[in-house]
Amino acid sequence: MSGNNIDKPSRDFEIMHQNNNSDDLYKSETRDSALERVRTAGTISMSPELFERLYLGPQTKVSGDLRKTFGNPTPLGLIGFVVGLTPLACCLMGWRGAGGLGTANIGVYFFIGGPLLMFSGILEFFLGNTFPFLVFVTYGGIFLALGGTLQSFYGSATIYSPTLNFYEGLQSPGFNASLAFFPLVAALLNVYFMVAATRINAVFTYVFAGSAMGFILFASFLWALAEGSTEASGRLLVGTGGAWFATVLGGWYLLAVQMLGVAGFSLALPVGDFSAFWERRKNKKTEREHSA
């Protein structure tokens, strides 16, 4: 036998050994090393679980390498969400003597909550992440709309006052009964988001469920206030704040998950990932189609 034929089995064994070691390495690598491998190797794609943890949306095929070129805007959207909603929830619950509809935080809605959510949503759009784009832009609009409604400059309640006084208009039954349809529509949108989030993870689903409940209670508060039910409206307002405070706890948790990844920590907090469930369901459907 020639020297080449004698050496061929040993070379094959060496190649197989290298491949096995590579597989073991990929199984044991951390989330951050996996992400770095994705950025440096164009032929390797990240798993659905890793993608949904990073972007809070299902993995979709897009042209180009923008996700490898630019930073992840998802943590910025979460910051806008929690910073905008947390003070509002505390005000509605009346903590530390706070009160009203969060008028003291109009600046937060206009310059932190709304803009950060809008900006991050637009960036998600250019990265091809449709679901986070829809969520962040929608919530950015909600914060800006709330700020505009409570800002006397826009005169949203002026026409409801006989003397054209904005602050009197805020207390009028007509204004409150009309405004209630806005949180009701927002609650319906959150139900849609909640259903879609069952494709992603449990914490994200929880956030939309709590947010929807808060909007429903807020609409009920406005209608009770319009009807003159002072006691009932007070309880509903506190309930709204409680629902949204429970919601932002989930938002803060998701932000912690994102920030740990951004800062390079290897600790991966659990989020109740649903990608494995949907992947198994997809594989079972494919098997049934092949066997039919």
Side-chain angles (χ1 to χ4, degrees):
M1 297 178 64
S2 64
N4 292 337
N5 290 335
I6 293 174
D7 293 338
K8 185 177 184 302
S10 62
R11 287 199 305 271
D12 290 343
F13 175 81
E14 182 179 356
I15 293 172
M16 290 175 61
H17 182 67
Q18 290 176 352
N19 290 339
N20 289 337
N21 288 341
S22 178
D23 292 339
D24 292 339
L25 175 62
Y26 290 165
K27 290 178 182 178
S28 62
E29 67 183 347
T30 65
R31 168 185 174 278
D32 301 291
S33 61
L35 180 56
E36 182 63 25
R37 183 163 51 82
V38 170
R39 289 175 175 170
T40 57
T43 58
I44 302 175
S45 60
M46 68 178 75
S47 67
E49 179 182 359
L50 176 58
F51 185 91
E52 291 168 12
R53 178 182 287 270
L54 289 174
Y55 293 103
L56 297 179
Q59 188 173 18
T60 56
K61 294 182 179 179
V62 295
S63 60
D65 295 327
L66 291 179
R67 290 170 180 163
K68 303 174 186 177
T69 304
F70 298 104
N72 180 10
T74 306
L76 182 65
L78 289 172
I79 290 174
F81 175 74
V82 297
V83 173
L85 192 57
T86 303
L88 176 59
C90 295
C91 287
L92 297 182
M93 289 187 293
W95 283 5
R96 302 293 297 176
L101 299 179
T103 309
N105 296 306
I106 287 179
V108 177
Y109 311 144
F110 276 134
F111 299 107
I112 299 180
L116 292 189
L117 281 159
M118 284 288 188
F119 182 64
S120 61
I122 292 172
L123 294 179
E124 297 279 9
F125 170 81
F126 286 111
L127 294 181
N129 302 329
T130 304
F131 185 62
F133 157 67
L134 292 173
V135 170
F136 290 158
V137 171
T138 298
Y139 268 96
I142 288 174
F143 279 121
L144 293 175
L146 178 60
T149 300
L150 298 176
Q151 173 59 259
S152 60
F153 173 80
Y154 297 101
S156 60
T158 302
I159 195 174
Y160 292 93
S161 169
T163 61
L164 298 182
N165 183 285
F166 173 77
Y167 298 101
E168 289 181 0
L170 287 177
Q171 305 298 323
S172 66
F175 172 79
N176 289 297
S178 301
L179 181 61
F181 290 101
F182 168 56
L184 189 65
V185 171
L188 180 60
L189 279 174
N190 273 273
V191 171
Y192 279 37
F193 290 154
M194 179 186 67
V195 174
T198 58
R199 173 64 177 79
I200 303 169
N201 63 57
V203 179
F204 211 28
T205 305
Y206 162 81
V207 167
F208 291 123
S211 186
M213 178 59 65
F215 280 115
I216 292 173
L217 291 172
F218 190 50
S220 302
F221 153 74
L222 291 171
W223 277 321
L225 188 64
E227 295 173 356
S229 303
T230 306
E231 184 178 351
S233 62
R235 290 197 300 267
L236 288 168
L237 186 63
V238 174
T240 301
W244 281 341
F245 186 78
T247 298
V248 295
L249 292 180
W252 282 107
Y253 183 82
L254 287 175
L255 179 60
V257 172
Q258 294 275 324
M259 293 301 293
L260 286 174
V262 169
F265 288 92
S266 59
L267 175 64
L269 297 176
V271 292
D273 178 69
F274 290 148
S275 61
F277 167 78
W278 290 105
E279 189 67 22
R280 287 195 301 268
R281 184 170 180 176
K282 179 181 177 181
N283 293 336
K284 289 180 180 179
K285 182 179 179 181
T286 303
E287 291 176 359
R288 286 196 301 267
E289 290 176 352
H290 287 317
S291 62

